[in-house]
Amino acid sequence: MNKLGVIRRSLGYKPYRSFGHPQMLPINLTVSLTYRCNSRCKTCNVWKKSSYELTVDEYSKIFDSIGNVYWFTFSGGEPFLRNDITDVCKVAYEKCNPGIINIPTNGLLFDVIPKRVTEIVEACPKTQIVVNVSLDGVGSQHDEIRCIPGNFEKTMKTYAALRSIKADNFELGIHTVISRFNVKDIQQIHEQLRLLKSDSYITEIAEERVELDTIGAGITPSLEEYSNAVDYLSEFVKQNEWQGTSKLTQSFRIEYYKLVKQALKEKRQPIPCYAGVASAQISPDGDVWTCCIRADPVGNLRTENYDFRKVWFSDKAKALRASIKTGECWCPLANASYTNMLCNFKTLAKVAWRWIG
């Protein structure tokens, strides 16, 4: 699916959200491949959960029932703990024609990740493969937040190997979770990480999610501290030159930071949320969620013979869409925010103007 197709498709989500017609499938799909993780982050307890993970054959049936998806995110846990991650990406590529496949990683498997990424890049030549390496600090600070001694050193080995991959359809980014553990140090962290010359640098606010078992964990920074951090990052983005996908991503990031600050301040949806309409998530054992914050299943794909459409257009899904539409929940979730902005013409115009400018 090309960018023009994405824009045309996004036009249909507004009436679907408002009136329930025409029925549409999501354009942004997050697939949690596993809850298993070799990190023990202070901001995430997903490693404590277990699941009966979907197989490649099961994913093939699911993706066949979905059709075109523009933006895939294959997450975890640590997604590269799945030895068959290359095969899953191949199936998504063949069945769903994605424009972007995004894979976040903690980078610990330095002897595995570069090989797997190379395989994925070669297997999906017409799709932009974006790998975001998680770094929440530099040196011992990163190790302390991730609770794994030697984490930073191992991740740097992975990063160096990924940096050596030369392919037009590969982009290497750095991802930082801004939490109460590092929010005051974001400027210094960013200045150090800039030296790694990544293709992009993105951040996400630490959230209390059902998916991550962090409800009540107190990991989210204050509005004042977060604002100071992202105001600095926004100014940096505005003052630097970006190219290609990175320029588009950074254009969205500036608007995302504004939306997060507004959401935290007003405790409501800053723009209409299209979770459950334009974006969705599949759990490792086949539950379909409108989003990972609530992680309230609208159905299970194994139970429904891997028919995503049957689950997506179910009565439970309609009820959750109605709940989201009326503003019964709000959050600063980054992945959903992308599609929210895409479906909000005023915000999209700002992003487009910055992108082509």
Side-chain angles (χ1 to χ4, degrees), residues 54-97:
L54 292 165
T55 66
V56 175
D57 287 341
E58 289 177 305
Y59 280 122
S60 181
K61 296 174 185 177
I62 293 166
F63 296 156
D64 197 40
S65 74
I66 296 175
N68 285 352
V69 174
Y70 183 71
W71 187 301
F72 266 100
T73 297
F74 288 108
S75 67
E78 170 51 47
F80 287 100
L81 285 172
R82 285 283 299 248
N83 294 327
D84 55 2
I85 186 173
T86 301
D87 295 324
V88 177
C89 290
K90 283 182 183 179
V91 169
Y93 180 76
E94 293 166 358
K95 302 287 186 178
C96 301
N97 189 31

Side-chain angles (χ1 to χ4, degrees), residues 20-260:
H21 296 284
Q23 289 186 330
M24 298 181 67
L25 293 164
I27 202 170
N28 180 348
L29 185 62
T30 297
V31 180
S32 296
L33 296 175
T34 183
Y35 289 137
R36 291 176 288 143
C37 192
N38 45 358
S39 277
R40 297 292 183 264
C41 305
K42 292 181 178 180
T43 56
C44 177
N45 293 315
V46 73
W47 57 273
K48 296 180 179 180
K49 303 172 71 172
S50 60
S51 65
Y52 175 36
E53 296 169 2
L54 292 165
T55 66
V56 175
D57 287 341
E58 289 177 305
Y59 280 122
S60 181
K61 296 174 185 177
I62 293 166
F63 296 156
D64 197 40
S65 74
I66 296 175
N68 285 352
V69 174
Y70 183 71
W71 187 301
F72 266 100
T73 297
F74 288 108
S75 67
E78 170 51 47
F80 287 100
L81 285 172
R82 285 283 299 248
N83 294 327
D84 55 2
I85 186 173
T86 301
D87 295 324
V88 177
C89 290
K90 283 182 183 179
V91 169
Y93 180 76
E94 293 166 358
K95 302 287 186 178
C96 301
N97 189 31
I100 297 171
I101 290 178
N102 173 56
I103 310 175
T105 177
N106 60 35
L108 284 172
L109 300 173
F110 60 87
D111 54 346
V112 171
I113 295 171
K115 179 177 183 295
R116 294 284 182 264
V117 172
T118 300
E119 292 172 349
I120 294 168
V121 168
E122 292 175 351
C124 308
K126 295 182 180 180
T127 294
Q128 190 74 14
I129 307 300
V130 182
V131 175
N132 283 309
V133 177
S134 296
L135 290 169
D136 294 340
V138 177
S140 60
Q141 183 183 32
H142 178 69
D143 293 357
E144 183 178 345
I145 293 173
R146 295 271 163 164
C147 297
I148 299 291
N151 189 317
F152 186 79
E153 181 180 355
K154 292 177 181 178
T155 302
M156 285 299 94
K157 288 182 181 180
T158 299
Y159 184 89
L162 292 174
R163 185 74 287 173
S164 68
I165 297 175
K166 305 300 180 184
D168 292 338
N169 66 321
F170 175 63
E171 180 180 313
L172 178 60
I174 293 175
H175 173 272
T176 297
V177 176
I178 300 180
S179 68
R180 67 180 180 87
F181 306 109
N182 63 0
V183 63
K184 295 180 181 179
D185 305 317
I186 289 301
Q187 181 170 346
Q188 296 92 321
I189 292 170
H190 178 249
E191 288 173 352
Q192 290 296 310
L193 296 182
R194 280 172 53 194
L195 302 177
L196 297 177
K197 300 186 183 301
S198 61
D199 297 317
S200 64
Y201 177 76
I202 61 175
T203 70
E204 186 167 4
I205 190 169
E207 300 165 274
E208 297 187 6
R209 303 183 190 177
V210 172
E211 177 201 26
L212 304 183
D213 192 25
T214 52
I215 302 299
I219 56 177
T220 306
S222 70
L223 172 60
E224 180 180 1
E225 290 176 330
Y226 179 79
S227 297
N228 290 337
V230 297
D231 286 349
Y232 157 76
L233 293 173
S234 295
E235 284 305 310
F236 175 82
V237 170
K238 294 175 184 177
Q239 294 172 12
N240 285 268
E241 296 291 332
W242 306 90
Q243 301 296 326
T245 304
S246 295
K247 186 175 183 180
L248 178 61
T249 301
Q250 296 302 333
S251 297
F252 272 107
R253 296 313 291 188
I254 290 176
E255 295 305 318
Y256 166 70
Y257 293 144
K258 293 178 182 177
L259 294 176
V260 174

Side-chain angles (χ1 to χ4, degrees), residues 205-207 220-224 226-227 230 254-273 293 327 329-334 337 340:
I205 190 169
E207 300 165 274
T220 306
S222 70
L223 172 60
E224 180 180 1
Y226 179 79
S227 297
V230 297
I254 290 176
E255 295 305 318
Y256 166 70
Y257 293 144
K258 293 178 182 177
L259 294 176
V260 174
K261 289 196 295 182
Q262 187 177 348
L264 292 175
K265 181 179 180 180
E266 301 176 3
K267 300 188 184 305
R268 65 176 181 86
Q269 297 174 13
I271 60 175
C273 182
I293 300 295
C329 58
W330 62 271
C331 73
L333 181 64
S337 292
N340 295 345

